[in-house]
Amino acid sequence: MLLYLIQRIGLSILICVTAMTLLFAAIHVIPGDPATIMLGTRATPEVRARLEKEMGLDQPVPVQLVKFLGRAATGNLGIDVWSKRSVSTIVMENLPYTLILILTGLGWSALVGIPLGCYSAIRRNSFIDKFTGVISVGTISIPSFVVAIYALLFFSIQLGLFPVIGAGENGDRADQIWHLVLPSLAVGLGWVGYLARIVRASMLEVMGENHVRTARAFGLPESKIVLHYALRIAILPTVTLLALAIGGLLSSAVFAENIFARPGIGKLIVDSANVRNYPVVQGAVMATVALFAFAMPIADFLVAWLDPRVRSAL
């Protein structure tokens, strides 16, 4: 088990290194040198030379990449070009807002999607099952940015029920929660359908297995069979899907944070890219890649903990 976990963590590190290598290469593939792109064409050669020296751009690209990855391994993501602050500090200031947003969106979608899928499997081919199927496909089909825009226009501007922009006053938890409702709705709505569909499919498969039929033969209550014998096994693919959902929610958070003007990693990346602040873009992207990459080993560990068959195979 420990060896398996180490292998998965090693794979996550390799994913982070590969992603940052591709991002680093993309910045240098753009026509023109990064210093000119950041400063503009009117910058003097002296100013460009000073910036290149500060950022290490006067060195060969492979050397720059190795130094960047080495600094990143120690938590040093570089220095902001404009404010001269540590990129790590800037990222850590914005990361909690994004984590709260995606965890809230994932949490409420799981609380709604899993019971819907479970009930649809129990009441197979009923009106509720068919209605849930239509709702699931509908929520999957609507992009998160469309949900964010229409939620903002209808609930905030038209009805005035929720705040339009921002993340709430610091220290006021009720205000922060109120500002979180619509963004979390936007990022989590599509995953209600995904979770409902996969739980339904898993439950239908598990409900036909021998141990469930044996439990029914012994006269156990249907609620106990569903919760203790069927759902515990059927939930395993959902655990893996929840880890994969982190990546989708991170991309949805980019739209939600910019539409609702919330602080977060997504807004930080867009704002930094607009002013050509590439060190901050690199640091923020690396934080999101690491968050997604290390979510997978956690999901694998949870699956192994929930399913003795997986533990015995490791």
Side-chain angles (χ1 to χ4, degrees), residues 140-184:
I140 293 171
S141 304
I142 304 175
S144 60
F145 66 88
V146 174
V147 178
I149 292 172
Y150 279 96
L152 177 66
L153 291 174
F154 184 71
F155 292 107
S156 295
I157 297 177
Q158 190 73 25
L159 299 180
L161 297 177
F162 296 96
V164 178
I165 61 174
E169 295 291 333
N170 290 331
D172 190 344
R173 294 298 176 86
D175 189 43
Q176 292 175 353
I177 292 173
W178 202 238
H179 279 77
L180 189 62
V181 173
L182 292 185
S184 64

Side-chain angles (χ1 to χ4, degrees), residues 93-111:
E93 288 174 354
N94 289 272
L95 184 60
Y97 291 99
T98 300
L99 286 177
I100 291 172
L101 176 59
I102 64 176
L103 290 177
T104 304
L106 189 62
W108 84 260
S109 61
L111 289 176

Side-chain angles (χ1 to χ4, degrees), residues 53-93:
K53 186 175 181 180
E54 289 178 358
M55 298 182 61
L57 297 175
D58 55 341
Q59 300 175 347
V61 174
V63 175
Q64 296 179 41
L65 176 61
V66 171
K67 286 187 175 182
F68 172 75
L69 294 176
R71 291 194 304 267
T74 62
N76 180 10
L77 299 177
I79 302 297
D80 183 356
V81 175
W82 309 121
S83 66
K84 304 303 180 183
R85 298 176 62 205
S86 169
V87 173
S88 301
T89 302
I90 297 173
V91 170
M92 293 307 297
E93 288 174 354

Side-chain angles (χ1 to χ4, degrees), residues 97 112 155 166 207 225 257 307:
Y97 291 99
V112 174
F155 292 107
M207 293 293 281
I225 294 174
E257 288 170 354
D307 192 347

Side-chain angles (χ1 to χ4, degrees), residues 162-300:
F162 296 96
V164 178
I165 61 174
E169 295 291 333
N170 290 331
D172 190 344
R173 294 298 176 86
D175 189 43
Q176 292 175 353
I177 292 173
W178 202 238
H179 279 77
L180 189 62
V181 173
L182 292 185
S184 64
L185 171 68
V187 302
L189 184 62
W191 288 96
V192 173
Y194 280 114
L195 293 172
R197 291 291 88 190
I198 195 169
V199 169
R200 179 185 182 276
S202 299
M203 282 291 294
L204 289 176
E205 181 180 354
V206 173
M207 293 293 281
E209 292 187 358
N210 292 332
H211 71 282
V212 175
R213 290 199 294 266
T214 302
R216 284 202 178 103
F218 277 99
L220 294 179
E222 188 68 17
S223 59
K224 186 173 183 179
I225 294 174
V226 171
L227 294 177
H228 292 272
Y229 293 94
L231 185 59
R232 183 173 180 177
I233 297 177
I235 204 70
L236 297 179
T238 308
V239 173
T240 304
L241 181 64
L242 290 175
L244 293 173
I246 297 294
L249 289 167
L250 284 170
S251 62
S252 299
V254 174
F255 295 107
E257 288 170 354
N258 283 276
I259 291 172
F260 292 98
R262 284 180 56 87
I265 292 295
K267 192 171 188 303
L268 177 65
I269 291 174
V270 173
D271 291 343
S272 300
N274 287 336
V275 297
R276 307 297 190 268
N277 196 343
Y278 290 120
V280 177
V281 173
Q282 285 180 321
V285 170
M286 186 165 191
T288 58
V289 171
L291 185 63
F292 174 65
F294 284 96
M296 295 307 299
I298 295 175
D300 293 337

Side-chain angles (χ1 to χ4, degrees), residues 18-43:
T18 303
M20 293 315 301
T21 301
L22 293 175
L23 177 63
F24 196 88
I27 292 176
H28 288 80
V29 166
I30 298 174
D33 64 282
T36 302
I37 295 172
M38 284 184 281
L39 296 174
T41 56
R42 295 185 178 182

